[in-house]
Amino acid sequence: EAGVAQSPRYKIIEKRQSVAFWCNPISGHATLYWYQQILGQGPKLLIQFQNNGVVDDSQLPKDRFSAERLKGVDSTLKIQPAKLEDSAVYLCASRLPGLAGLGEQFFGPGTRLTVL
Amino acid sequence: GNSVTQMEGPVTLSEEAFLTINCTYTATGYPSLFWYVQYPGEGLQLLLKATKADDKGSNKGFEATYRKETTSFHLEKGSVQVSDSAVYFCALSELRAGNMLTFGGGTRLMVKP
């Protein structure tokens, strides 16, 4: 089966510009996550979707970050305006719904963002 | 809140050496525990998992046992290979918290021939 797809793989922008990342989860995976991984650290959750509804966005800096999953499949994460400290790898992950996918998440290759 | 602490790297070993990467956790409930691995240039992959106390997860010669009494999930391998060079992340998730993963900081393993 196809894995989690993300694009672009790399993005370089200047501070105060905007950027968007796209994620297509594994077919049938109702739960989708976005994580931020700063160099040398473990990934940190930004937002979790169940189908097209937000389950947890408590760690999302809502003044500049937004995310949507309009049809319960693909998702987009946007940053506007970007800051230097947003330089990181943005990871998308998905899992099966309910107990069938208990805990186990499948990760995409990530988008490496560099803010200059 | 939940947290995961793992030993800092890098860990440098010779091929066929024994590997231990320590991981301890703090959780308010009964988490599932995971080790994920990130090979150079690749995405995160699940290496092994354990969902309840005393469970042992194993894969590719790696093992880790869920120790509730010491809140630990140490990763071990009896004989490492150069191809095991990667960054290893310990993580936990709880069903009541939406199964979001809480990761440790990662440990870089370098295996020399």
Side-chain angles (χ1 to χ4, degrees), chain A residues 27-114:
Chain A
S27 177
H29 284 198
T31 308
L32 183 149
Y33 306 83
W34 282 102
Y35 291 86
Q36 180 192 57
Q37 185 178 14
I38 294 172
L39 186 64
Q41 300 181 17
K44 289 182 172 55
L45 180 73
L46 290 174
I47 188 167
Q48 176 187 348
F49 291 94
Q50 179 73 21
N51 296 308
N52 60 350
V54 175
V55 174
D56 184 350
D57 65 355
S58 58
Q59 301 302 310
L60 189 72
K62 298 181 188 64
D63 57 334
R64 298 183 300 105
F65 286 65
S66 65
E68 60 183 12
R69 195 182 182 200
L70 291 177
K71 297 183 178 178
V73 180
D74 294 6
S75 178
T76 303
L77 176 70
K78 297 179 181 177
I79 308 175
Q80 181 179 10
K83 293 185 175 181
L84 296 177
E85 59 261 35
D86 298 332
S87 294
V89 176
Y90 291 85
L91 298 167
C92 180
S94 69
R95 70 171 182 88
L96 288 167
L99 295 178
L102 187 63
E104 182 173 350
Q105 297 178 20
F106 296 83
F107 285 81
T111 296
R112 182 178 297 278
L113 173 67
T114 302

Side-chain angles (χ1 to χ4, degrees), chain A residues 9 33 35 37 40-43 45 48 56 91 95 98-99 102-105 107-109, chain B residues 32 34 36 38 41 43-44 46 49 51 89 93 95 97-101 103-106:
Chain A
R9 292 294 309 276
Y33 306 83
Y35 291 86
Q37 185 178 14
Q41 300 181 17
L45 180 73
Q48 176 187 348
D56 184 350
L91 298 167
R95 70 171 182 88
L99 295 178
L102 187 63
E104 182 173 350
Q105 297 178 20
F107 285 81
Chain B
S32 295
F34 306 84
Y36 277 82
Q38 194 168 37
L44 278 167
L46 178 66
K49 68 177 182 180
T51 58
F89 292 93
S93 73
L95 180 62
N99 271 320
M100 58 165 278
L101 284 164
F103 286 90

Side-chain angles (χ1 to χ4, degrees), chain B residues 5-66:
Chain B
T5 302
Q6 59 183 108
M7 62 188 289
E8 292 188 13
V11 173
T12 303
L13 296 173
S14 297
E15 208 165 22
E16 299 184 3
F18 184 85
L19 168 71
T20 299
I21 300 178
N22 290 337
C23 170
T24 57
Y25 67 90
T26 302
T28 52
Y30 299 95
S32 295
L33 301 175
F34 306 84
W35 278 99
Y36 277 82
V37 59
Q38 194 168 37
Y39 297 105
E42 298 185 18
L44 278 167
Q45 303 173 26
L46 178 66
L47 181 59
L48 54 84
K49 68 177 182 180
T51 58
K52 61 182 187 296
D54 299 325
D55 268 3
K56 178 185 284 187
S58 61
N59 187 25
K60 299 181 180 179
F62 290 88
E63 293 184 338
T65 301
Y66 190 142

